[in-house]
Amino acid sequence: MSEQSVVPIDQLLPNKLSLLPLMGRPIFPGLFTPIMIGNPADVRVIDDAVAGDGLIGLVMLANDADNPTITDLYRIGTAAKIIKKINLPDGGVNIFISTLKRFMIKKPLKPINPIVAAVEYLEEEEDDTSEVKALTRALISEMKQISENNPLFSEEMRLNMINIDHPGKIADFIVSVLNIDKTEQQKILEMLNVRKRMEQVLVFIKKEQELLRIQKRIQREINEKIEKSQRDYFLKEELKAIKTELGMTTDAKSSEYQRFKDKIEGFHFEGEIKETVEQELEKFNLIDPNSGEFIVSRNYLDVIANLPWNDPEPEQFSLKTASNILENDHYGLKDVKNRIVEYLAVRKLRQDTKGSIICLVGPPGVGKTSVGKSIARSLGKAFFRFSVGGMRDEAEIKGHRRTYIGAMPGKIIQGLKIVKTKAPVFMIDEIDKMGMSFQGDPASALLEVLDPEQNSSFRDHYLDLPFDISHIFFVVTANTLDTIPGPLQDRMEIIELPGYINTEKFEIAKRYLVPKSLEKNGLKKNQVKYTRESLMHIANGYAREAGVRNFEKNLDKIHRKLAKQLVEAAEASEPETLEKFEIDKKLIEKHLGKPLFPEGDLKKADRPGMSVGLAWTTMGGDTLVIEATSVPGEGGLTLTGKMGDVMKESASIAMTVVHKLGVEQYGISGSWFEKNHIHLHIPEGATPKDGPSAGITMATALLSLLRNKTILDKLVMTGELSLTGQVLPIGGLKEKTIAAQRNRARYIIIPKQNLRDLDDIPEHVKKGIEFYPVERFEEVLKLAFSD
């Protein structure tokens, strides 16, 4: 074909075009590329174009309209000729196009799909300058660097880029293959000045190179980490193989797994326990050691592996040895020791290792905890103690579920793990001081623990497997039974420990407390000598409570002062001046100060309107002075001394009984009660007092006031008073008798129904005291008043 016969491309392109909206990026002139068409309306446009001249206009959408109109399109697009059309099975088409030239929409001819518009073809503004040539070389050079480092650039794309002879087309081609925003590409499409277009494309290339540089750096760092981890992995595998050849354990996880497996196989589990433990063991073997679940599983298996699952050996203990241990460890407490020995005798006779539940109840400092330790020694068993005083969360007893972070077993399972035997002695201290909160009721959780019928399959929440705790010998301690729930009391054998009288305190101090305190304070046994009078003085003047804890504290106080004197003498190089100490009454007062309870500080009823009663508290027995007086004024009764509701009711009953007796038997005028106001007071007003057992004591004090007569000296009494004058039984007679002994009482009035309780009181406690059982208040008056 001759040069004159070549027709310019503008003359081949029509002035109106069917427009195809592009959802993705704009398409530049000078390319041969496929396009996938799925929209039925767009497919119709393609069919119409193929049926005609095969020319369409490609224009990018300016928004995301579902049914675009001409207003949704950019104004500048690219004219293209459809080279080939392939129908697809889903109704869409795949077309291959050759893009020809930029155009601008001049006028919409059909604004809705299929869109038709009158168009004007745009010419490029070319500068045939050396700057354009330089830019062309720069673009090709920079793109070569990008294409060499990017596997997405094929060899064909590289050749096409080099063979393009027009600077504007080179810029268009490069923009079409760079990963830049479609709006930026549209701006390049609309840029007719070739030099400016090339400059902008060069900026995009530089940005792409910077991104590639950062990407390479990140990739290099990742590769280094992967290479290191792979290297470590291969080295570990080699080490594992070497250890296997040498018969050594391969790694920590394998070692733990084997340890758990060996221990668990030695337990010979069956049924549910075997199935659950084996599943957990296999799960542990599959877990990655770096995961959080690994630690949870390991801790669980560690608990299982360290629990004593096998049945205990038959018990081998001598009743005589057990009796001797109890006798050597504790002075007095004869009834308590006898009951414990009887308990052990039954246990040995039955050859039954099933656990027992003993509840030791008594005031502080009487030796409840040490009795528990002695029981463990006498049986030759491990001893574990924990306190439930103030406990509010039942999970402390039954454990936390493993779904919680930091979950752990309850105290029972923890204790078994520590002692490593299925039949230890467990001491649960302060069971009367458990609380209750939104976290549960620990007292109710103990019901299962302390029930021989249930605890053979005890389920701790953490372990979640049945565990037999029926072999445990439980020893429970409490100061009072009042706050222990009834169902819990039913499950225990209750043994009461009374307080000590002064003679018992003397023996305990001489045999146990003094040697213990001397050793604790660095003194030798032969350095300090106490007289009987000095120890009795401590008991009378400084430690009158039921237990001996304060007695021991006072001894410690004395011995610390002696230790100080010894050290000071040694530092002054005069140790021989203080070789021995003789502790008498005078020296005790020097170290301890004046007695808290002076010699004559006994509670007495030495004036009309007074009587002495006996009370029971969690600290043991105590004596109670009742005072009554009258003042002229409006009749009535005032009560003071921090009395509880029950005691206030007892006072009202006593007033009614005395009013009736005073008028009927003692000739007191009824008007006297109307003209005089009676005030009844119990000293130590800051101490709460309650209970009905002071009924006859209050009535006696009131009658003493009315008759203006003093009651019998050294007489104390206890008993509930009914409205008809009946004297009803009371509790805690043993503790009350000890309190009377400490107060040097000679006569005690008790309800007749409490005669059976006298057998439980040791003879040395009753020594020197006469008991008077009564049924009616009139009998009390005959004993209290000499006439």
Side-chain angles (χ1 to χ4, degrees), residues 16 31 132 144 285 473 570 592 672 785:
K16 67 173 184 177
L31 301 175
V132 171
K144 276 184 179 179
N285 196 32
F473 194 126
L592 299 181
W672 186 91
F785 298 105

Side-chain angles (χ1 to χ4, degrees), residues 598-621:
E599 283 283 333
D601 188 25
L602 300 175
K603 293 176 181 176
K604 298 178 181 180
D606 52 3
R607 294 185 182 184
M610 295 179 69
S611 63
V612 182
L614 296 173
W616 181 90
T617 68
T618 55
M619 303 294 286

Side-chain angles (χ1 to χ4, degrees), residues 603 610 624-627 640-641 681-687 689:
K603 293 176 181 176
M610 295 179 69
L624 209 64
V625 174
I626 309 287
E627 299 175 345
T640 55
H681 175 67
I682 304 178
E684 298 178 13
T687 306
K689 309 166 190 74

